[in-house]
């Protein structure tokens, strides 16, 4: 349940939380294993809030070909480095492939978005992702893989 995300500035280690959101973790691992996230843009990066990616269209409107997931809310708060499942609008059951990483404590997300992991190393690289909605020159996920399947 460890994923490595390679960014231009370095590697980010993500610890997944199947105890909190088993379906979201399973989906994330499936898409990661398929290479789905490799090369995708960070299309929405708000300073002091979060960096969002996981959309093959690069616009925030896309997802994978798999069905949307039901929300899996927990009592775990959104802190610096928390992975959350992005969704379409206000429908809590539309998470698919998009996710975000919070830059700081974001209590307004608590109980309203699914927490499914946390950055445990390399958060300084997440901090360096190009900012904007969308960024003028968006950064991408160079490569993402399960730590057990490291190249």
């Amino acid at each position: 349940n460890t994923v490595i995300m390679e960014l231009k500035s370095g590697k980010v280690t993500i610890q997944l939380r199947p105890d909190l959101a088993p379906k979201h973790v399973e989906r994330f691992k499936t898409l990661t294993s398929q290479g789905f996230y490799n090369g995708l843009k960070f299309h929405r990066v708000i300073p002091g809030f979060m960096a969002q990616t996981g959309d093959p269209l690069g616009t925030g409107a896309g997802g994978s070909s798999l069905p949307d997931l039901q929300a899996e809310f927990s009592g775990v708060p959104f802190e610096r480095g928390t992975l959350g499942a992005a969704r379409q609008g206000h429908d809590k059951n539309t998470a698919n492939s998009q996710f975000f990483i919070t830059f700081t404590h974001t209590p307004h997300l608590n109980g309203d978005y699914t927490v499914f992991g946390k950055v445990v190393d390399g958060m300084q690289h997440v901090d360096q992702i190009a900012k904007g909605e969308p960024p003028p020159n968006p950064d991408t996920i160079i490569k993402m893989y399960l730590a057990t399947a490291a190249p």
Side-chain angles (χ1 to χ4, degrees):
N1 290 311
T2 302
V3 170
I4 306 300
M5 179 172 63
E6 292 185 10
L7 302 176
K8 70 179 183 187
S9 62
K11 293 181 180 181
V12 178
T13 305
I14 298 166
Q15 187 65 52
L16 300 176
R17 296 286 309 268
D19 57 318
L20 301 178
K23 290 183 175 88
H24 284 74
V25 167
E26 180 184 358
R27 169 69 52 86
F28 192 72
K29 288 168 69 172
T30 296
L31 293 174
T32 297
S33 296
Q34 293 172 351
F36 178 86
Y37 292 110
N38 298 346
L40 294 190
K41 296 175 185 172
F42 282 89
H43 64 272
R44 185 170 179 242
V45 185
I46 303 170
F49 181 32
M50 59 92 217
Q52 186 172 335
T53 185
D55 173 15
L57 302 177
T59 63
S64 75
S65 60
L66 300 171
D68 288 346
L69 295 168
Q70 297 290 309
E72 295 178 287
F73 298 142
S74 69
V76 173
F78 278 86
E79 301 293 345
R80 176 171 166 75
T82 301
L83 253 71
R87 61 179 195 233
Q88 299 297 321
H90 296 289
D91 187 341
K92 294 177 167 98
N93 299 313
T94 57
N96 189 292
S97 62
Q98 292 188 46
F99 67 96
F100 58 89
I101 301 171
T102 52
F103 289 123
T104 188
H105 175 70
T106 50
H108 67 281
L109 300 178
N110 294 348
D112 207 28
Y113 286 83
T114 298
V115 171
F116 69 98
K118 184 166 182 67
V119 172
V120 294
D121 189 48
M123 191 61 197
Q124 70 273 21
H125 303 301
V126 176
D127 290 335
Q128 294 178 43
I129 295 169
K131 311 297 187 279
E133 297 184 67
N137 297 298
D139 284 322
T140 62
I141 297 171
I142 295 169
K143 183 171 35 173
M144 196 151 68
Y145 50 90
L146 299 173
T148 55

